[in-house]
Structure formats: C-alpha cells, structure tokens
Amino acid sequence: MTWRYLLTLSVATALTATLATPASAAGETRWRADLTTVDADDTGVTVRDGALRLDRTAPAPASARRASTRTGFLVLDPQRLDAPANAVAATVESTVPAGAEVAVDVRGALGGDQWTEWVEARPGAPAALPTEVGTVQVRLALTAEADAPEVRRLDLRAFSQVNRSGDVAAEAAGLSYRVYATREGLVGGTTANGHVIVARDHFVALPSRRGLSSKDTGTYSVRVCASNGRCEWAPVWDVGPWNTKDDYWNPSSTREMWKDLAQGKPEAQAAYENGYNGGKDQFGRAVANPAGIDLGDGTFWDGLKLTDNSWVTVTYQWTGSGPAGVVRTASTPLNVRSSASSTASQVGLAANYAQVRVECQVTGESVSGTQGTSNVWYRLAAGKFVAKAYVSGVSGATNC
C-alpha cells in the first residue's frame, strides 16, 4: 500500500537538513527533510534506492518482549525556525505494508539542552506544545513484524496555533507517580534506542517512546525512589513493559491510548487490578503484573537495593523545570550521598548520562572529576547530594 498523509501537531519538534525548501508564508517555516544520511544517532534504518527503509537487523524493544516487532529510528538534525512556532505539519510519502507503521515524532528546544517530550504527529490530530519554540527536531519511527516500510519524502511546515485546553503544567520537580517496577534483565539484548544491555546495567524502560532518549544520552531520564529511601536517576533507553503507546504520566486528553484512564495509572496496572481492556495489553497478551516501569539490573539491585519487584515512586525529570544537568562519569554511576562529602553514606546512584534536576547547591568537600575540581555539591532531593565535579550543564542553581 502506498499512501500520503498530512500531520498537524502542536508539539515542539525539530527537523533537520533541508533539500528544496518550499516557499513559506509569513510566520511559518517550510522545509524538506534530508532522508539520505544515516549516522550514529540513528538505529535500525538504512537508505536504499533513494528511500529510507527499516533494516532487517533492526532491534525489537527488549522490555516490550515483542521479538517479532522490529523498530528503527532516524533522528533528524535540529531545525531553526524563521519565526517561533508551536505546531508542525508533515506530509509523508511512504509505502507501509500490512503490520508495519511509519510515525513522525516531534519535539521542541527549550534551551540549556532541554527539550519537550516527543509527540507523534498524526493525520488530523494536532498535538499541543507547551510553548512556542525557535528550534524543532523530528524523528521518524519505522516498525514492522514482516515486510519493511519505506519513506521517500518528508515535507514539514512549522507554524503557530491556539493550544488545546486541558494541558497541565508540571511543577518544578516534574510529574511524579507511584507505579509498580519490574527488573528487566535481558543481558545481551538490545533496547529500543540501540543500546546493548550489559550486566548490572543502569537505565529504565517506559511503555511509550515519547520519553525515549537516544543511545548514550539522558534527555529523558527518571528519578526512581524505593520505600527504603534509596533513589536512582537513570536515562530512559527502552520501551516497555507490556505496552509501547502508554504515556500514562501525561494528562488523559493528550495520552496516546487509554484516554479514559486516570493520569498516572499505567494501562497494565488497570488491566491487572481491574480487568481493564479484558485484562490484556495493547497486543492482546494477558497482563501478569501491573508494571509501569522496567529497571535495568544495576538500577534494581545496586541503585535501589531491591530484591523483588516492588512499588516505587517515579519522577519524570523532563516534565519539570528549573536548573538541570547531566551526569558525566567515566562509565560507572555517580554516588548520591546523604551530605556534601565523599565519606557521607551512599543513599542512591545517578547513572552516567542521566539528567538530574537541581534543587539548590551547597559548599562541601572539594572533589575532582570529569568536570574539573570543585567544592560545590548539588542537592537533588532532601538528603541527597552529588558532586558538581561530575555534573555538566547546570545553570542558575541557588544556594540552599
């Protein structure tokens, strides 16, 4: 089947290099995406005969346990707009066999390496942006169980429109919900963003690609806290468990699926506890636990010191505001201490590449790390501190 469709969305998104740029009307930006280049940020896609195709070796999201569903991503370069915009329309020329899908995800730059959440642009279903942005980015997601889809052309138009009502502004710390966590395991498997899982790995999986970071980045990270008081900050590198289109942390009005469920309640939890959707996930599988997040083994065992699946409190860092930084270590996670000293008790971990929200800063022990030497420590939460020497990009943090 060959088809074309028009997508209008109100979300911050970014596109990349242009080919021939159509004429733009006042207050809008038009461009054509370059689909001829695949680089290190892209996974599971290839260019052949002038078309972008899903590669036969593309991975399936490990956490979703759907080995037959391959997924590939082409992440386009950020596109600077001629005028601020909060919507992007896309015209896609593609061939999509039965059982396959081509989706256009979009996000907008908020400054300081911060981005809005990825939101899918759908035909006739605009998505609201929280604010107008000057730079957008687009990601093509190709999925298939058998025959691969291909995309031959992608034209884009950024403009401003009236936002939908009903969106809820996040507090400074970000949206936070209590959900059931399971251990992902699957060492040697490949996550949705192309990361190969290693022993005692530090990352998490959420059941929607709206919060999926590219490999070796933490633009979308979470803070996961257990009832024992320990927390880990970890990047979202996989899609699952159970579902792949369940962004349950978002308001019901903007949720991808299951719009009749309360904000903060995963579909798997509703299916398991209340028989929602006949007790099944989006693929028709009987839900065996109420999980709303999967934890890498290192996050599960070392960060939170869990011994079994458990209820945890998850804060979705990208939904917050205020100072933020990125953990940069040689590879191992950064110790989170109970005070501003390397001899204080360890009360959690912050994974390499994870984004952390900073409440305030204090003066403490001088530490040397990847970001130089400093006696400044950042408080990430009550009684939880990390050394500035291992955190990059924080701006505007006030004294505690």
Side-chain angles (χ1 to χ4, degrees), residues 267-294:
E267 189 277 341
Q269 180 182 343
Y272 182 79
E273 295 178 342
N274 311 116
Y276 180 83
N277 194 40
K280 299 178 180 180
D281 67 4
Q282 74 183 72
F283 302 107
R285 300 175 297 185
V287 174
N289 61 55
I293 189 171
D294 252 351

Side-chain angles (χ1 to χ4, degrees), residues 143-390:
T143 60
E145 294 187 1
D147 295 336
E150 65 176 35
V151 180
R152 292 177 295 279
R153 178 168 163 173
L154 173 61
D155 290 325
L156 300 131
R157 180 173 66 96
F159 58 99
S160 287
Q161 66 177 19
V162 177
N163 282 338
R164 261 191 326 236
S165 61
D167 288 346
V168 178
E171 296 181 358
L175 297 170
S176 185
Y177 297 103
R178 183 173 179 268
V179 299
Y180 193 72
T182 48
R183 182 177 65 85
E184 179 157 347
L186 304 175
V187 173
T190 304
T191 66
N193 73 355
H195 170 73
V196 177
I197 302 172
V198 300
R200 301 190 102 89
D201 218 335
H202 291 264
F203 70 93
V204 305
L206 293 177
S208 168
R209 67 172 182 268
R210 286 186 169 183
L212 178 66
S213 294
S214 297
K215 185 169 69 172
D216 295 340
T217 73
T219 306
Y220 305 100
S221 296
V222 295
R223 181 182 74 192
V224 188
C225 297
S227 59
N228 59 14
R230 292 184 64 87
C231 297
E232 174 158 338
W233 285 255
V236 183
W237 282 356
D238 205 4
V239 178
W242 297 111
N243 296 299
T244 60
K245 293 187 177 182
D246 185 24
D247 53 325
Y248 58 82
W249 52 89
N250 280 323
S252 299
S253 61
T254 62
R255 198 164 169 164
E256 288 184 274
M257 296 179 67
W258 328 117
K259 294 179 181 294
D260 54 338
L261 289 177
Q263 183 177 3
K265 188 163 191 176
E267 189 277 341
Q269 180 182 343
Y272 182 79
E273 295 178 342
N274 311 116
Y276 180 83
N277 194 40
K280 299 178 180 180
D281 67 4
Q282 74 183 72
F283 302 107
R285 300 175 297 185
V287 174
N289 61 55
I293 189 171
D294 252 351
L295 309 179
D297 287 356
T299 302
F300 189 94
W301 286 324
D302 304 325
L304 302 183
K305 300 293 185 183
L306 296 176
T307 58
D308 200 358
N309 298 335
S310 177
W311 291 94
V312 297
T313 300
V314 181
T315 303
Y316 309 84
Q317 298 286 89
W318 67 92
T319 68
S321 59
V326 178
V327 174
R328 297 313 309 262
T329 67
S331 62
T332 56
L334 176 63
N335 288 319
V336 179
R337 302 289 184 179
S338 60
S339 64
S341 169
S342 61
T343 59
S345 58
Q346 187 214 65
V347 290
L349 295 172
N352 193 23
Y353 302 114
Q355 180 195 90
V356 295
R357 290 282 173 191
V358 175
E359 291 186 345
C360 55
Q361 65 183 38
V362 300
T363 300
E365 178 187 355
S366 182
V367 174
S368 296
T370 60
Q371 306 304 304
T373 300
S374 176
N375 63 357
V376 172
W377 288 66
Y378 295 130
R379 191 178 81 186
L380 307 184
K384 292 178 171 59
F385 297 82
V386 292
K388 177 184 178 181
Y390 290 99

Side-chain angles (χ1 to χ4, degrees), residues 1-55:
M1 173 176 65
T2 300
W3 53 291
R4 294 168 64 91
Y5 61 90
L6 179 68
L7 304 164
T8 303
L9 63 137
S10 339
V11 322
T13 74
L15 267 318
T16 123
T18 63
L19 301 179
T21 304
S24 299
E28 67 176 35
T29 305
R30 292 176 180 259
W31 72 102
R32 182 170 300 163
D34 180 2
L35 305 181
T36 64
T37 303
V38 176
D39 57 30
D41 290 334
D42 309 314
T43 58
V45 291
T46 187
V47 177
R48 190 173 67 197
D49 298 328
L52 181 73
R53 296 178 57 87
L54 182 67
D55 195 89

